């Protein structure tokens, strides 16, 4: 049986005020071992990828502005991500599912990278809390919509032509991603 809907909910972690420094992990290629959660009993969903982005910073005053040290971490939540391996009956189907789920992870990675670039270019003043939150909210909304568009366009990987198009888009975005 072909898998039905494959989707991702990319949860944004709470906005916390904790010490940290700017740090980003590298891109991760998903494997079947990344899906450790229990499959849901859902006839339309064969896999689910759950990522979160932790957005933390420490602020310190410098003359008339604030320096913010950011720690923006993308986490693949393995135990919330799952794959119904009983319904994936061929290696070809497994590759298709992983490729689609990789798209969701790639969207989360692109969000993390854009957040890092945006805060790195921002001068913060006394309203740094509001400004930092506004940056996060704006970029997070953009990538939530991109996730929705991805699943709608690919029909949760069922539209093979659209899936190929999105795969090419992701490859190009990763190849030409600006440095941190």
């Amino acid at each position: 049986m072909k898998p039905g809907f494959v989707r991702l909910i990319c949860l944004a972690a709470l906005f916390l005020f904790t010490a940290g420094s700017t740090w980003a992990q590298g891109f991760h290629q998903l494997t079947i071992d990344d899906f450790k959660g229990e499959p849901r009993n859902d006839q339309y969903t064969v896999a689910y990828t759950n990522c979160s982005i932790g957005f933390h910073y420490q602020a310190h005053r410098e003359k008339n502005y604030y320096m913010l040290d950011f720690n923006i971490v993308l986490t693949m939540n393995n135990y919330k991500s799952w794959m119904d391996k009983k319904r994936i009956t061929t290696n070809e189907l497994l590759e298709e599912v992983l490729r689609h789920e990789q798209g969701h992870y790639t969207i989360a990675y692109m969000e993390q990278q854009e957040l890092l670039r945006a805060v790195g270019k921002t001068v913060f003043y006394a309203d740094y809390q509001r400004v930092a939150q506004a940056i996060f909210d704006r970029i997070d909304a953009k990538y939530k919509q991109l996730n929705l568009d991805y699943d709608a366009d690919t029909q949760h990987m069922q539209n093979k032509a659209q899936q190929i198009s999105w795969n090419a888009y992701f490859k190009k975005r990763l190849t030409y991603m600006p440095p941190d």
Side-chain angles (χ1 to χ4, degrees):
M1 174 181 219
K2 286 258 183 198
F5 297 102
V6 183
R7 62 183 171 203
L8 163 79
I9 294 179
C10 194
L11 303 171
L14 293 174
F15 186 76
L16 301 173
F17 301 96
T18 60
S21 59
T22 303
W23 178 85
Q25 73 276 21
F27 183 79
H28 175 69
Q29 189 69 40
L30 298 181
T31 70
I32 196 168
D33 296 328
D34 289 310
F35 299 86
K36 298 181 182 201
E38 284 295 316
R40 302 293 191 305
N41 187 11
D42 181 343
Q43 68 181 17
Y44 301 109
T45 306
V46 72
Y48 171 83
T49 300
N50 185 294
C51 296
S52 58
I53 295 179
F55 185 82
H56 313 273
Y57 64 84
Q58 180 178 359
H60 52 276
R61 190 179 177 117
E62 297 277 335
K63 298 185 181 182
N64 65 338
Y65 62 93
Y66 285 80
M67 293 293 298
L68 275 64
D69 294 322
F70 283 90
N71 188 358
I72 301 173
V73 180
L74 167 61
T75 303
M76 168 72 178
N77 300 308
N78 301 74
Y79 288 95
K80 292 182 179 179
S81 300
W82 56 267
M83 188 178 291
D84 190 346
K85 296 167 185 125
K86 292 177 186 171
R87 293 175 43 206
I88 300 174
T89 56
T90 66
N91 283 338
E92 179 183 87
L93 184 55
L94 174 61
E95 288 174 15
E96 286 180 41
V97 170
L98 283 171
R99 198 168 17 256
H100 181 78
E101 293 305 305
Q102 186 69 51
H104 288 298
Y105 175 87
T106 300
I107 290 169
Y109 179 78
M110 290 175 357
E111 177 178 354
Q112 179 217 26
Q113 295 302 302
E114 186 169 332
L115 282 165
L116 287 165
R117 287 189 305 277
V119 299
K121 295 176 184 176
T122 304
V123 177
F124 293 95
Y125 296 99
D127 61 347
Y128 67 86
Q129 293 171 327
R130 183 190 60 74
V131 172
Q133 186 66 51
I135 290 169
F136 179 82
D137 292 344
R138 176 181 53 81
I139 293 172
D140 187 53
K142 172 184 171 180
Y143 286 95
K144 281 182 180 173
Q145 185 60 54
L146 189 62
N147 252 312
L148 293 172
D149 294 345
Y150 175 55
D151 270 341
D153 288 350
T154 64
Q155 297 170 320
H156 303 277
M157 86 174 212
Q158 296 301 305
N159 183 326
K160 298 202 185 303
Q162 282 298 91
Q163 185 65 56
I164 289 168
S165 178
W166 276 90
N167 293 346
Y169 167 77
F170 292 137
K171 183 177 181 180
K172 186 175 181 180
R173 284 289 307 267
L174 290 171
T175 299
Y176 297 105
M177 187 170 282
D180 296 337

